[in-house]
């Protein structure tokens, strides 16, 4: 495959290290030539898999792909293919579009690695979510050159067999399934494995839910801390109303509180951050009449703004960034056990994990600046290693600069003040006209 974008995007994460470079970083992010678009990636793939005609001839390109799709009885319409190739539309990153991407991969006889590349570098989602029977079968199919028609037959046969009793799946069931599929030497062995473990395919995202719950707990603190904060708000309000001196807030006294409140107190001591008459006033203004455990408060504190990247196709923010960008609605759905354990919105779950992980890592660095264990130039690599380990544990793709959403975090992590830089970028994106 062509790795021009991979190298180009990776190098660019080092090009804007100062807070003064944020505008230039945003310009890079918004430039449609900076990242591989779906049409460019698809045409690149067609060239590799046998197309020898003019890559600028959309009609010829579309006829080539449509003919390959018809060979596997795909129902993707010619108009859809044309819109992909001329760049007017791209498949949405949502459950309903994933099978279309697999159909392209089957139609072009892609290998396992080529399919993973196409998902990750062109469609911008992970391939082979093997916690579903369909994608587990697809994984085996690309591993052993099984056709699309044969894969559909296997899926239907497995689904027609009554479910076994649910069993306790491993934490990272996706990787567990992949490992066992590698050991299957025949379709019969694959079907036997899937039918015996069918109950485990009724729920997924367990590792992701566990990680997200741990992050949220770290951000908001224990349930007991809420009542203490509420009492503090009442005390400050009474003293303000009576014209009395406000109590001083020392970070050392709030170490058991959530990271959001700890950062707020930390910032209140910074004359460049504190815009109120006093540090206590600064904290009070931020938490007065606010429920510090609500998703809205969490996101506003992390992002540094009450506005977020809008999911509007008419604005210039890249689709990959604005699609499923963390919002209070997506956060509510993701943190709902009933919803996440059957959710196929992998993009929104991964984006939330990346956001919360980024904040927790860098706010801890910020709060312990005076007694940092590692030199500052080592921190970006430590962040990247830890973030990738978590994503891998949860069954998601590692951070990659070819993904515009990931690029924001990688670029921010390599700046002198990652949280400040990240919030400046988000503020610029949120103000987009």
């Amino acid at each position: 495959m062509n790795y021009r974008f991979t190298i180009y995007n990776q190098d660019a994460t080092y090009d804007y290290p100062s807070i003064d470079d944020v505008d230039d970083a945003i310009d890079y992010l918004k430039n449609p030539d900076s990242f591989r678009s779906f049409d460019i990636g698809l045409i690149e793939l067609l060239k590799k898999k046998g197309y020898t005609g003019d890559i600028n001839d959309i009609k010829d390109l579309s006829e080539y792909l449509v003919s390959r799709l018809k060979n596997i009885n795909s129902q993707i319409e010619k108009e859809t293919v044309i819109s992909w190739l001329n760049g007017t539309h791209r498949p949405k990153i949502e459950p309903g579009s994933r099978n279309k991407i697999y159909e392209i991969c089957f139609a072009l006889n892609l290998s396992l690695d080529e399919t993973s590349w196409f998902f990750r570098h062109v469609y911008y989602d992970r391939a082979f979510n093997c916690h579903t029977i369909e994608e587990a079968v697809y994984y085996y199919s690309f591993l052993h050159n099984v056709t699309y028609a044969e894969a559909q037959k296997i899926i239907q046969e497995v689904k027609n067999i009554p479910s076994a009793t649910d069993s306790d799946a491993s934490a990272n069931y996706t990787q567990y399934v992949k490992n066992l599929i590698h050991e299957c030497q025949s379709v019969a062995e694959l079907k036997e494995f899937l039918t015996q473990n069918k109950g485990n395919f009724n729920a997924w995202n367990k590792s992701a839910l566990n990680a997200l719950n741990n992050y949220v707990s770290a951000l908001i603190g224990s349930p007991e801390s809420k009542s203490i904060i509420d009492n503090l708000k009442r005390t400050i309000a009474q003293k303000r109303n009576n014209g009395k001196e406000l109590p001083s807030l020392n970070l050392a006294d709030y170490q058991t509180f959530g990271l959001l409140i700890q950062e707020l107190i930390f910032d209140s001591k910074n004359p460049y951050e504190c815009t109120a008459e006093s540090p206590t006033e600064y904290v009070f203004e931020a938490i007065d009449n606010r429920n510090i455990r609500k998703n809205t408060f969490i996101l506003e504190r992390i992002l540094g703004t009450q506005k977020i990247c809008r999911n509007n196709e008419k604005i210039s923010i890249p689709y990959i960034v604005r699609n499923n960008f963390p919002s209070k609605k997506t956060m509510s759905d993701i943190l709902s056990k009933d919803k996440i354990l059957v959710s196929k919105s992998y993009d929104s779950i991964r984006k939330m994990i990346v956001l919360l992980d980024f904040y927790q890592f860098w706010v801890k660095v910020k709060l312990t600046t005076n007694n940092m264990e590692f030199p500052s130039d080592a921190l970006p690599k430590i962040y990247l290693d830890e973030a990738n380990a978590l994503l891998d544990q949860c069954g998601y793709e590692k951070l990659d600069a070819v993904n515009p959403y990931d690029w924001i975090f990688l670029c921010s992590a390599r700046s002198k003040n990652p949280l400040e830089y990240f919030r400046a970028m988000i503020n610029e994106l949120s103000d987009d006209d």
Side-chain angles (χ1 to χ4, degrees), residues 48-309:
K48 178 178 175 59
K49 302 307 292 186
Y51 178 76
T52 57
D54 182 359
I55 62 172
N56 296 309
D57 188 339
I58 301 301
K59 182 176 181 294
D60 194 43
L61 277 165
S62 62
E63 288 177 352
Y64 176 81
L65 180 54
V66 168
S67 67
R68 300 292 293 266
L69 287 167
K70 282 184 178 178
N71 289 338
I72 66 166
N73 294 318
S74 169
Q75 299 303 306
I76 299 175
E77 297 179 352
K78 182 177 181 179
E79 291 74 16
T80 300
V81 172
I82 292 174
S83 71
W84 290 345
L85 290 167
N86 65 23
T88 56
H89 291 95
R90 57 152 291 141
K92 292 185 177 180
I93 304 177
E94 60 183 23
S97 293
R98 286 181 64 82
N99 208 64
K100 293 178 181 178
I101 305 303
Y102 280 117
E103 287 182 1
I104 294 173
C105 297
F106 275 108
L108 296 176
N109 296 319
L110 300 194
S111 67
L112 186 73
D113 288 343
E114 288 169 340
T115 301
S116 296
W117 176 88
F118 188 57
F119 266 83
R120 183 178 180 181
H121 290 256
V122 181
Y123 182 56
Y124 294 114
D125 200 7
R126 65 171 174 169
F128 307 119
N129 299 305
C130 289
H131 47 233
T132 68
I133 290 173
E134 290 86 352
E135 300 209 16
V137 172
Y138 290 161
Y139 185 73
Y140 177 90
S141 299
F142 284 103
L143 194 62
H144 294 282
N145 297 314
V146 172
T147 67
Y148 184 66
E150 291 172 317
Q152 296 306 310
K153 182 180 178 183
I154 296 169
I155 292 168
Q156 198 56 51
E157 289 176 353
V158 172
K159 286 191 170 183
N160 287 339
I161 299 173
S163 297
T165 303
D166 289 359
S167 59
D168 186 18
S170 64
N172 186 352
Y173 196 64
T174 298
Q175 189 58 49
Y176 171 73
V177 172
K178 285 183 178 180
N179 292 340
L180 287 182
I181 288 177
H182 267 280
E183 297 177 8
C184 292
Q185 299 300 313
S186 66
V187 170
E189 286 186 26
L190 173 68
K191 290 195 289 188
E192 181 181 4
F193 164 70
L194 294 177
T195 53
Q196 287 182 350
N197 293 275
K198 197 172 178 182
N200 287 329
F201 290 91
N202 294 328
W204 49 87
N205 295 325
K206 294 177 182 178
S207 298
L209 178 60
N210 183 57
L212 288 165
N213 283 335
N214 288 339
Y215 280 130
V216 172
S217 295
L219 298 186
I220 63 178
S222 65
E224 295 77 16
S225 64
K226 181 181 183 301
S227 60
I228 301 175
I229 291 293
D230 289 341
N231 288 334
L232 177 63
K233 287 194 287 187
R234 283 192 290 270
T235 299
I236 295 174
Q238 290 172 358
K239 289 183 179 294
R240 286 171 83 245
N241 293 337
N242 295 326
K244 294 184 178 180
E245 183 179 353
L246 301 183
S248 115
L249 303 176
N250 298 311
L251 184 58
D253 298 330
Y254 293 89
Q255 293 298 303
T256 59
F257 279 43
L259 293 171
L260 296 174
I261 296 299
Q262 289 186 49
E263 186 192 18
L264 195 54
I265 296 172
F266 183 92
D267 287 345
S268 73
K269 310 298 182 181
N270 184 341
Y272 297 103
E273 289 280 353
C274 183
T275 55
E277 293 182 2
S278 70
T280 301
E281 187 79 27
Y282 175 85
V283 174
F284 181 74
E285 289 176 358
I287 64 177
D288 186 33
N289 295 318
R290 303 298 303 276
N291 185 335
I292 63 172
R293 305 181 73 80
K294 288 288 188 180
N295 295 338
T296 302
F297 181 82
I298 294 172
L299 287 174
E300 287 178 6
R301 293 307 310 171
I302 291 176
L303 300 175
T305 178
Q306 293 183 354
K307 298 174 289 184
I308 62 170
C309 299

Side-chain angles (χ1 to χ4, degrees), residues 28-39:
Y28 177 90
L29 187 68
K30 291 181 179 179
N31 185 343
D33 295 328
S34 294
F35 297 91
R36 180 186 282 107
S37 61
F38 187 80
D39 57 309

